[in-house]
Amino acid sequence: MRYSEMYLPTAREIPSDAEVASHQLMIRAGMIRKLTSGIYSYLPLGYRVIRKVEQIVREEMNKAGAQEVHLPMVQPVELWQESGRWVHYGKELLRFRDRHEREYCLGPTHEEVITDLVRNDIKTYRQLPRNLYQIQTKFRDEVRPRFGVMRCREFGMKDAYSFDADEAGAEKSYDKMFVAYNNIFNRCGLKFRSVEADSGSIGGKYSHEFMVMADSGEDAIVFCDKCAYAANLEKAEIREPEKKNISQKDWLPLESVHTPEVRTIEEVSTFLKVKPRDIVKTLIFNADGKACAVLIRGDQDVNEIKVKNYLGAAELELADDEMIMKATGAPRGFAGAVKIKTRVIADFSVMNMINFVTGANKEDYHLKNVNIGRDFNVEVFADLRVVKENDSCPRCGDKIKFARGIEVGHVFKLGTKYSKAMKAVYLDKDGQEKIMVMGCYGIGIGRTVAACIEQNFDENGIVWPMPLAPYQVIITPVNINEVDIMKAAESIYSSMLNCGIEVILDDRDERAGVKFKDADLIGIPIRITIGQKSLASGNIELKIRKTGENRLYPSQKIVQEVKALIDQELNPAAK
Ligand code: ATP
Ligand code: MG
């Protein structure tokens, strides 16, 4: 493509609402433009990168045996009522009515539509397994759209859905997708980790998230270098500690102390001169309308997802003042497990504590020297807390590490959540009706592009890895008004086009410095400079964007050398 004809509005200024590098650079490099909050247009350069990711995704999905479909974005209310998600999905679901007052939503994901499709067409075990995918626009009315296309409201997603006859089959389908995802993100040239994750509101048993490692990432990841355990912070587990032998002789007499207006762990710690780790924090949760007390050591934090999963609750939130008053007989800040009128569950961190401090379930009072087994009992000790820096790996016991990541893909085992609710059944060998077992697998296309930039940029702009680069080469003739320079540039340009190289010829009447700056900003991996010096010497200068390295090649060899370089970068395994 000739630069002079391109729709490529680059900018020097950093847009004021862009916090992260990828957002700033995608705007400055003329890849995207904001239409309104969380809704973006892709310009030609940006769309070429999107198409590259989509192509890699398509090839790997097809290779894994999935077949491409294209499902509607507008979805009728009835399907969402059948699955139960019309009520449960919440405000991210954009709902609207047509002229007949019929209700619809814009698809944030397509489990309902695909399950409806498959239940109508698949009747017997002979038609299973099947895996269908699409690359489609999704709409999610995110509370806080931010970071450009990384967390926006309208975005492209590859979503695949597998249907199997049984659990064992579903496991195989999941594993195939897991492999395909590794291939996809490797081919995109990304540094990533697959981490264990919770299954969230979509349901199912467990899942893996594919995280691109980046300091700007929204997600915290816990990992172990020794045994390769990796999980997101929500899911990261704590090993059950060994139960210490507690002698009842060590139990000191229970004591009630007046603690006026002393509520938080810090306040109690200062007032009673005890360490937070000697206090047991009692949090009252509202689990599907019922109160439940969760105990945890004062220096730790409750992981609400773990509590929700343990209780098997559909909805979980901290109890309001009224519920706290009813459960404890005291206002917020004085809860404790002694004589409380709720279920009591405790985190492992409380298991070996003795003579600790808790609230007294009485306004302005706390209890000292509280002991489990004498003063109250708990239903269970379980893993209910958020993993912290000094914790050890739940698998091998080595010290775990923390990092930040951007979730670009997610593979889920759905089990029979949708197939059961929506009656996606088939007849097995014996003519028995069985429920299909499903999996679903998403990749954010735009987010993958943004994540790639987060890993590949410097002070001058984007540094595309070859597989995602919008163009592979940019030819910069230093002065377009000099006939011999332009002749050489045109000749290399057309030879490269003939070889299938994706190349820009910067034929603008601009100073070389301006052209170099733009080439760096838009991040083209290979830049070829043609000036009088190179013409005189018969050598052409090539610059590698990533390393800044300059190379000289005889002009008759340049096209072939560049082609080899590109092929090697696209196919590193063949080195
Ligand atoms: P998140 O926790 O980041 O909100 P999610 O769990 O809601 O993600 P999924 O429902 O698993 O995401 O969607 C599959 C993929 O779609 C994600 O891995 C991500 O790459 C992409 N994605 C999800 N939400 C957005 C968004 N608001 N903007 C861009 N991409 C998104
Ligand atoms: Mg989300």
Side-chain angles (χ1 to χ4, degrees):
M1 183 92 213
R2 287 168 194 277
Y3 204 131
S4 63
E5 294 167 7
M6 287 172 82
Y7 192 98
L8 179 47
T10 56
R12 297 269 173 266
E13 313 78 55
I14 296 174
S16 60
D17 67 336
E19 298 162 59
V20 292
S22 58
H23 186 190
Q24 295 171 357
L25 288 168
M26 287 179 90
I27 298 213
R28 288 187 51 212
M31 293 178 67
I32 55 166
R33 289 291 178 263
K34 180 158 125 181
L35 179 63
T36 182
S37 168
I39 301 184
Y40 287 84
S41 306
Y42 280 96
L43 276 47
L45 198 77
Y47 199 53
R48 283 182 73 96
V49 185
I50 291 286
R51 302 284 292 184
K52 292 239 166 151
V53 175
E54 288 180 354
Q55 188 55 28
I56 292 173
V57 167
R58 263 197 190 96
E59 285 171 15
E60 294 300 327
M61 291 305 290
N62 294 345
K63 210 161 89 188
Q67 298 168 60
E68 190 165 4
V69 292
H70 196 77
L71 307 170
M73 192 186 173
V74 172
Q75 308 183 5
V77 60
E78 291 79 13
L79 286 183
W80 285 74
Q81 283 166 339
E82 258 190 83
S83 72
R85 286 207 292 186
W86 190 253
V87 177
H88 283 123
Y89 206 92
K91 289 193 175 166
E92 269 185 31
L93 191 64
L94 185 68
R95 302 153 208 249
F96 57 96
R97 287 168 196 269
D98 69 5
R99 65 172 77 203
H100 306 292
E101 291 296 314
R102 284 188 288 248
E103 287 187 285
Y104 298 86
C105 63
L106 284 185
T109 169
H110 279 72
E111 282 79 11
E112 282 78 0
V113 175
I114 197 90
T115 309
D116 177 57
L117 182 84
V118 167
R119 70 178 166 185
N120 291 324
D121 289 325
I122 291 193
K123 304 290 176 203
T124 90
Y125 70 96
R126 284 191 205 89
Q127 296 164 288
L128 293 173
R130 290 291 181 269
N131 186 331
L132 300 174
Y133 78 97
Q134 62 172 344
I135 298 179
Q136 233 274 22
T137 304
K138 303 283 189 253
F139 193 93
R140 294 183 181 178
D141 201 356
E142 296 273 352
V143 204
R144 249 190 86 209
R146 59 190 179 279
F147 309 148
V149 296
M150 196 113 82
R151 180 169 299 283
C152 49
R153 297 196 297 166
E154 183 178 313
F155 58 96
M157 193 202 286
K158 185 287 297 177
D159 45 329
Y161 305 88
S162 62
F163 295 83
D164 276 273
D166 51 29
E167 271 297 330
E171 193 100 13
K172 275 194 198 143
S173 296
Y174 185 92
D175 292 347
K176 268 194 201 164
M177 286 295 105
F178 190 84
V179 172
Y181 273 43
N182 277 292
N183 292 344
I184 289 168
F185 297 119
N186 273 325
R187 280 187 60 190
C188 288
L190 295 164
K191 289 187 258 329
F192 68 96
R193 269 177 199 272
S194 59
V195 308
E196 291 179 17
D198 193 67
S199 328
S201 71
I202 216 162
K205 289 178 187 156
Y206 67 77
S207 67
H208 283 93
E209 286 170 351
F210 285 76
M211 296 281 191
V212 167
M213 312 308 289
D215 291 340
S216 58
E218 284 185 287
D219 294 283
I221 301 165
V222 167
F223 65 96
C224 172
D225 272 336
K226 199 167 158 202
C227 75
Y229 173 76
N232 72 14
L233 188 60
E234 285 173 355
K235 176 80 176 175
E237 297 158 26
I238 305 268
R239 257 195 199 178
E240 180 167 357
E242 261 176 54
K243 178 105 186 84
K244 286 198 188 130
N245 263 336
I246 296 169
S247 163
Q248 298 190 2
K249 278 186 283 175
D250 296 331
W251 285 349
L252 300 174
L254 188 66
E255 211 182 301
S256 173
V257 281
H258 189 213
T259 52
E261 291 297 328
V262 173
R263 293 165 198 270
T264 64
I265 293 293
E266 291 71 42
E267 287 164 359
V268 176
S269 164
T270 314
F271 189 86
L272 293 178
K273 299 191 178 56
V274 290
K275 291 197 196 94
R277 57 179 300 126
D278 294 322
I279 302 171
V280 167
K281 189 156 61 175
T282 308
L283 295 165
I284 311 294
F285 281 96
N286 177 346
D288 296 331
K290 286 204 182 107
C292 176
V294 178
L295 311 188
I296 190 160
R297 208 171 67 195
D299 60 341
Q300 300 293 338
D301 295 310
V302 167
N303 178 333
E304 292 193 16
I305 290 173
K306 290 182 179 176
V307 174
K308 192 172 168 192
N309 289 345
Y310 173 78
L311 295 174
E315 302 286 334
L316 184 92
E317 56 182 5
L318 279 169
D320 60 13
D321 290 346
E322 193 187 337
M323 188 178 252
I324 292 176
M325 181 57 94
K326 221 167 136 195
T328 68
R332 186 182 296 275
F334 302 99
V338 184
K339 299 204 178 95
I340 198 167
K341 297 187 212 81
T342 63
R343 283 173 84 171
V344 178
I345 60 174
D347 178 61
F348 286 143
S349 58
V350 175
M351 197 159 97
N352 290 316
M353 289 176 74
I354 62 164
N355 300 322
F356 50 84
V357 171
T358 69
N361 294 332
K362 184 174 164 194
E363 184 162 10
D364 291 344
Y365 281 88
H366 277 78
L367 297 175
K368 274 169 88 171
N369 302 328
V370 181
N371 286 291
I372 301 168
R374 179 188 68 187
D375 305 316
F376 70 92
N377 284 307
V378 302
E379 176 184 315
V380 73
F381 289 107
D383 171 15
L384 302 175
R385 73 178 167 91
V386 181
V387 172
K388 289 219 169 125
E389 204 74 49
N390 283 321
D391 283 321
S392 42
C393 170
R395 300 278 186 276
C396 75
D398 211 48
K399 208 169 151 195
I400 47 146
K401 293 190 174 144
F402 278 71
R404 299 206 71 82
I406 300 165
E407 181 203 317
V408 287
H410 204 165
V411 290
F412 271 88
K413 279 189 189 174
L414 286 174
T416 54
K417 181 178 158 99
Y418 295 94
S419 41
K420 197 168 166 192
M422 297 181 65
K423 302 195 183 56
V425 295
Y426 69 96
L427 294 180
D428 73 3
K429 276 197 182 89
D430 309 319
Q432 296 281 318
E433 195 175 271
K434 294 261 170 69
I435 300 171
M436 295 180 207
V437 186
M438 291 172 59
C440 75
Y441 318 93
I443 291 180
I445 304 291
R447 191 183 281 185
T448 301
V449 172
C452 177
I453 297 175
E454 289 295 328
Q455 274 189 347
N456 298 286
F457 71 94
D458 61 17
E459 65 282 6
N460 298 317
I462 304 171
V463 185
W464 289 114
M466 194 62 81
L468 298 197
Y471 290 91
Q472 297 157 339
V473 178
I474 184 162
I475 303 171
T476 43
V478 293
N479 184 348
I480 64 157
N481 300 310
E482 293 189 31
V483 178
D484 47 350
I485 289 184
M486 271 322 274
K487 206 173 140 208
E490 289 280 359
S491 151
I492 294 175
Y493 176 57
S494 62
S495 311
M496 285 192 167
L497 286 178
N498 285 338
C499 283
I501 295 175
E502 301 171 51
V503 55
I504 300 174
L505 172 64
D506 194 347
D507 57 346
R508 293 175 301 164
D509 193 3
E510 293 280 2
R511 280 183 295 113
V514 171
K515 295 185 182 187
F516 293 157
K517 272 212 154 65
D518 279 331
D520 279 354
L521 175 61
I522 64 176
I524 307 304
I526 300 172
R527 191 184 82 202
I528 288 171
T529 308
I530 300 173
Q532 285 302 355
K533 216 166 70 187
S534 49
L535 288 186
S537 69
N539 284 323
I540 304 269
E541 190 185 316
L542 175 153
K543 184 165 185 176
I544 309 286
R545 174 73 179 90
K546 190 153 95 191
T547 56
E549 179 195 349
N550 285 306
R551 295 183 194 173
L552 279 180
Y553 290 107
S555 49
Q556 65 279 15
K557 275 195 156 178
I558 186 85
V559 177
Q560 156 197 354
E561 292 289 347
V562 165
K563 179 83 182 136
L565 207 68
I566 294 170
D567 287 346
Q568 194 188 56
E569 293 258 325
L570 288 180
N571 212 347
K575 246 184 231 175

